[in-house]
Amino acid sequence: MASSSLLVVVAAISQLLTLTLLVSRCSTKVPAIIVFGDSSVDAGNNNAISTALKSNFEPYGRDFFDRRPTGRFSNGRIPPDFISEAFGLRPFVPAYLDPAFNISDFASGVCFASAGTGYDNVTSNVLLLQNVIPMWKELEYYRDYQQKLRASLGDKKANSIISEALYIVSLGTNDFLENYYSSFPIPGSNSGCRRAQFPQPGQFEDFLVSLAEGFIRDLYELGAQKVSFTGMPPMGCLPLERTTNFMGQHDCVEEFNAVARDFNGKLGAMVDRMNQELPGLRMVFSNPYDKFYEIVSRPSDYGFDVASVACCGTGMYEMGYLCNKQNPFTCTDASKYVFWDSFHPTERTNGILADSLIKSVLLPNFA
Ligand SMILES: *[C@@H]1O[C@H](CO)[C@@H](O)[C@H](O)[C@H]1NC(C)=O
Ligand SMILES: *[C@@H]1O[C@H](CO)[C@@H](O)[C@H](O)[C@H]1NC(C)=O
């Protein structure tokens, strides 16, 4: 009895020591997490703009803190939230346009991402998604943020946050699935669509890489140095794409996965090139593809029951307004599902993906 309780105490103390070590190791170097991109990382900016692409209603967010639907496209947290926590910061990153937060809150983390956006200006205007925030506008908000940060904390403190923060950039799926492959017409032009302009997907990839590179240059000009540039997921395995893959018996659409892999190769090369060229830049390529594909291919290895359809609704088509609380088919335990809606992972999947990037790339490079 006495010796076993001693053991418990020893275990508790050693656990406490480990925790203290972890916290002191992780809490110093990155003062803030600053996020750009699409719904893979949007914490709720679309709530504040006029678009049909929102998720600030139940059952979205039902496993978030206070069961709050925040505008995150998941049942709970998304990858930047886990990353922020791993660096000893808040366990979530608030959206810049969320009126519940102010510049004091944003000093340790802020999200400018907008669901539905893409590298290509055309993507943010796609009919269904209409008028989400294009990437140039995310940068405008970021400039506005810098001004407020300087006004609030003074130049010295603000500049140190700006240069030491970890910047997360995550987007690309919409450029392919909503714009290129749906042959969406380019607004105000007679020349048709991107697919007519770039008949080979590889040509469109090159176009997007040039836009990604331009974005990184702008961000660097504004003072960013530590960047986690996120690769593409296996987008052919999203439930919506599987549902409509009638010829392929609802397997993953290999054509889309091949494009994602090819594009990832080019993005990785862009990251290397920028690191060579821009002094002081420390950009890493955070590629979720392999881990994500492994989870979808062998869900039971990760404790999931279902990977081919999503938790919300029938799991085949629903996202945004179609995934709502009137829908009677929504699953009860989202942690058994890889996907929450037909386009977005569950909190549990987000956690596994984030954790793998945190351990393999982010903490080793930036903590
Ligand atoms: C931000 O909000 C908190 C309370 O929510 C308040 O204490 C603080 O003064 C505010 N900061 C600014 C700069 O408005
Ligand atoms: C996207 O739109 C912005 C604002 O109109 C413009 O400054 C930028 O050059 C456009 N980008 C491309 C690649 O057309």
Side-chain angles (χ1 to χ4, degrees):
M1 180 81 184
S3 77
S4 82
S5 60
L6 185 67
L7 262 181
V8 170
V9 171
V10 169
I13 289 175
S14 83
Q15 220 168 45
L16 214 93
L17 278 175
T18 319
L19 252 172
T20 318
L21 282 176
L22 272 177
V23 168
S24 58
R25 190 166 65 88
C26 300
S27 61
T28 46
K29 286 196 183 148
V30 167
I33 304 289
I34 300 180
V35 183
F36 295 92
D38 64 11
S39 62
S40 59
V41 291
D42 184 357
N45 285 306
N46 279 15
N47 304 350
I49 63 172
S50 157
T51 175
L53 196 66
K54 297 186 200 252
S55 60
N56 54 345
F57 42 81
E58 294 170 30
Y60 283 98
R62 72 182 193 188
D63 299 307
F64 195 76
F65 304 110
D66 303 329
R67 302 170 174 269
R68 207 157 53 87
T70 56
R72 285 168 177 79
F73 279 77
S74 189
N75 57 309
R77 292 193 287 165
I78 52 180
D81 301 323
F82 291 102
I83 293 169
S84 179
E85 185 172 34
F87 278 92
L89 302 166
R90 242 183 336 231
F92 63 94
V93 179
Y96 190 55
L97 301 183
D98 187 336
F101 299 94
N102 64 26
I103 194 66
S104 312
D105 305 308
F106 297 142
S108 60
V110 59
C111 170
F112 300 98
S114 172
T117 203
Y119 293 106
D120 186 359
N121 280 344
V122 170
T123 303
S124 50
N125 284 313
V126 172
L127 261 189
L128 170 75
L129 311 177
Q130 229 167 30
N131 294 325
V132 301
I133 305 170
M135 290 307 280
W136 63 268
K137 183 86 188 212
E138 291 191 18
L139 275 181
E140 290 283 293
Y141 282 123
Y142 174 58
R143 285 192 187 91
D144 180 57
Y145 163 78
Q146 287 199 348
Q147 280 188 358
K148 289 192 176 128
L149 199 63
R150 293 197 169 103
S152 158
L153 300 176
D155 285 359
K156 188 155 176 285
K157 184 88 206 298
N159 289 344
S160 133
I161 291 173
I162 289 163
S163 63
E164 295 302 315
L166 174 62
Y167 293 77
I168 296 174
V169 180
S170 173
L171 69 161
T173 308
N174 299 309
D175 290 297
F176 291 99
L177 299 181
E178 307 301 325
N179 175 356
Y180 188 80
Y181 284 108
S182 52
S183 298
F184 182 76
I186 301 170
S189 109
N190 303 322
S191 66
C193 55
R194 289 295 189 213
R195 203 169 179 180
Q197 194 181 351
F198 304 108
Q200 299 302 320
Q203 298 170 312
F204 185 61
E205 290 165 21
D206 294 340
F207 171 65
L208 295 184
V209 170
S210 73
L211 298 178
E213 184 175 321
F215 181 82
I216 293 302
R217 283 179 196 281
D218 290 345
L219 197 57
Y220 173 79
E221 285 300 314
L222 288 165
Q225 298 192 335
K226 304 172 181 171
V227 182
S228 168
F229 196 93
T230 315
M232 296 277 285
M235 59 182 172
C237 296
L238 301 177
L240 184 63
E241 305 310 321
R242 291 181 74 152
T243 299
T244 48
N245 186 14
F246 300 108
M247 305 297 283
Q249 283 152 9
H250 306 300
D251 278 341
C252 297
V253 183
E254 173 51 25
E255 184 191 355
F256 294 161
N257 285 350
V259 165
R261 289 193 300 270
D262 199 45
F263 187 47
N264 278 339
K266 293 174 183 179
L267 289 174
M270 181 277 288
V271 167
D272 292 342
R273 212 164 52 236
M274 293 291 97
N275 280 328
Q276 299 269 315
E277 193 188 312
L278 304 175
L281 180 68
R282 287 168 58 202
M283 180 158 56
V284 295
F285 186 48
S286 295
N287 189 355
Y289 187 98
D290 290 342
K291 191 64 164 183
F292 207 145
Y293 191 75
E294 208 176 279
I295 295 172
V296 172
S297 311
R298 297 200 307 274
S300 59
D301 287 8
Y302 293 86
F304 292 109
D305 292 343
V306 188
S308 59
V309 295
C311 169
C312 195
T314 62
M316 297 193 285
Y317 301 99
E318 296 89 347
M319 66 174 266
Y321 277 119
L322 293 176
C323 167
N324 60 43
K325 71 176 182 203
Q326 271 75 49
N327 207 314
F329 301 109
T330 299
C331 80
T332 49
D333 182 2
S335 72
K336 295 288 178 205
Y337 283 70
V338 175
F339 292 96
W340 165 249
D341 68 19
S342 68
F343 227 71
H344 304 100
T346 52
E347 172 177 73
R348 190 154 163 262
T349 308
N350 283 331
I352 294 172
L353 293 173
D355 205 46
S356 128
L357 295 175
I358 287 163
K359 294 204 171 101
S360 63
V361 213
L362 300 179
L363 288 183
N365 278 285
F366 300 118

